[in-house]
Amino acid sequence: MTRPGLPKLIATDLDGTLVRSDDTVSAYTHGVLDRVRAAGIPVVGATGRGPRLAELSRNDIRAADFLVMAGGGWVVDQSDPAGPLVLRDERLRGEVLARLIADLEAAVGPLTVMVEASGEDDTPLWGDYHPSWPYPDRFEARSRAECLSCDVVKAFARTEDHHVDELLAVARRIVPTEVASLTQAGLGFVEICPPGVDKASGLSVVAERLGVDPADVLVFGDQPNDLPMFGWAGWARVAVANAHPEVRAAADEITLRNDDDGVAVYLDRLLSR
């Protein structure tokens, strides 16, 4: 249940939660987040986006003191006067990913596979092009062998024959948690991250740095990759109205849709009560 007073840390997902369907964040939302920071509450952007999209993410959540990216695998402190300080940078070994993909294809058939091989700003994903991928301008066709030849930030996989939730369930039966962390973020692809990586583990890095107890953290989200932080945070877990059914079921409260500035509306009321 929502606790009285104010939380000591606020974390929000970006795409589908804070960011609207037209890929913008309203001036109203930016203003409310500025008020949150002015009230002395650190703000965290917690996203599945990898570090190659750090500049885009900073623009979408300008008030963020920290970014938890790549689903928790890359954490950066933006409050350091000396400049952004990377606190966590996890990678999945290429040979591990190759075995994982082979095992999964043996169970479900051919996969479309993409990898995020570089953390450099605005670099493309590599792999198999699929028309459903919403960001073709940040994609480069590469062979499977090349994609699996290096350590990666994370990988993406889909099949024509399975809904993404079904494929995720199959993958979780096949892939041990000590090999990789699996989730999905509403893009139609299963996301394959290094073991032990999720948004809760990324936020733990931030909370430990600030000396904040998870019981004092408020989080917002919309997709299954937000569920670990919903299980971790204790002040309140808030889903936007457009959230995946599993996220709505795990939430303490439901706010308005992302397109209706649901996060900002909730925070505005919280600051004003």
Side-chain angles (χ1 to χ4, degrees):
M1 294 180 62
T2 303
R3 297 176 58 178
L6 294 174
K8 295 182 179 178
L9 183 67
I10 291 172
T12 179
D13 172 56
L14 299 183
D15 297 302
T17 302
L18 191 79
V19 180
R20 298 179 294 190
S21 300
D22 63 358
D23 296 327
T24 66
V25 177
S26 71
Y28 168 65
T29 292
H30 284 304
V32 170
L33 290 173
D34 286 340
R35 286 175 56 209
V36 169
R37 288 191 75 241
I41 305 171
V43 175
V44 184
T47 177
R49 299 176 184 177
R52 67 195 183 91
L53 300 178
E55 283 304 314
L56 174 66
S57 300
R58 290 185 183 108
N59 185 62
D60 284 341
I61 184 164
R62 299 167 195 162
D65 301 278
F66 294 83
L67 290 176
V68 171
M69 302 191 72
W74 193 81
V75 180
V76 61
D77 181 353
Q78 303 192 130
S79 65
D80 194 309
L85 177 64
V86 176
L87 305 177
R88 188 186 200 195
D89 186 355
E90 300 287 342
R91 304 292 169 120
L92 182 64
R93 289 189 296 137
E95 59 267 30
V96 171
L97 179 60
R99 291 195 299 270
L100 184 161
I101 293 296
D103 290 345
L104 192 52
E105 287 192 317
V108 302
L111 293 168
T112 296
V113 176
M114 302 184 300
V115 301
E116 186 161 351
S118 173
E120 296 297 318
D121 189 55
D122 214 30
T123 52
L125 294 180
W126 295 353
D128 308 319
Y129 174 73
H130 194 279
S132 69
W133 184 249
Y135 311 110
D137 57 322
R138 292 189 174 93
F139 176 83
E140 184 175 313
R142 296 282 185 104
S143 70
R144 178 73 61 86
E146 189 169 7
C147 290
L148 302 178
S149 66
C150 60
D151 296 348
V152 302
V153 176
K154 67 175 176 177
F156 302 80
R158 66 165 290 148
T159 172
E160 297 296 336
D161 299 327
H162 298 76
H163 183 274
V164 64
D165 287 331
E166 181 186 359
L167 179 61
L168 178 59
V170 173
R172 283 177 169 165
R173 290 197 296 268
I174 293 172
V175 181
T177 55
E178 62 268 21
V179 172
S181 179
L182 306 171
T183 190
Q184 72 102 343
L187 296 172
F189 287 74
V190 167
E191 301 193 1
I192 306 167
C193 300
V197 165
D198 57 32
K199 290 190 181 183
S201 65
L203 283 173
S204 292
V205 173
V206 175
E208 289 171 11
R209 187 168 180 83
L210 296 175
V212 173
D213 191 290
D216 294 317
V217 181
L218 163 63
V219 295
F220 297 88
D222 77 310
Q223 290 294 334
N225 67 332
D226 296 315
L227 288 171
M229 71 176 182
F230 271 44
W232 173 85
W235 196 89
R237 287 76 54 149
V238 182
V240 285
N242 52 288
H244 187 285
E246 291 182 25
V247 179
R248 290 173 59 92
D252 299 305
E253 298 182 65
I254 310 294
T255 187
L256 300 177
R257 297 174 56 85
N258 63 322
D259 288 338
D260 297 322
D261 296 325
V263 171
V265 168
Y266 183 95
L267 291 174
D268 197 350
R269 290 172 179 166
L270 181 65
L271 293 172
S272 301
R273 73 183 186 184

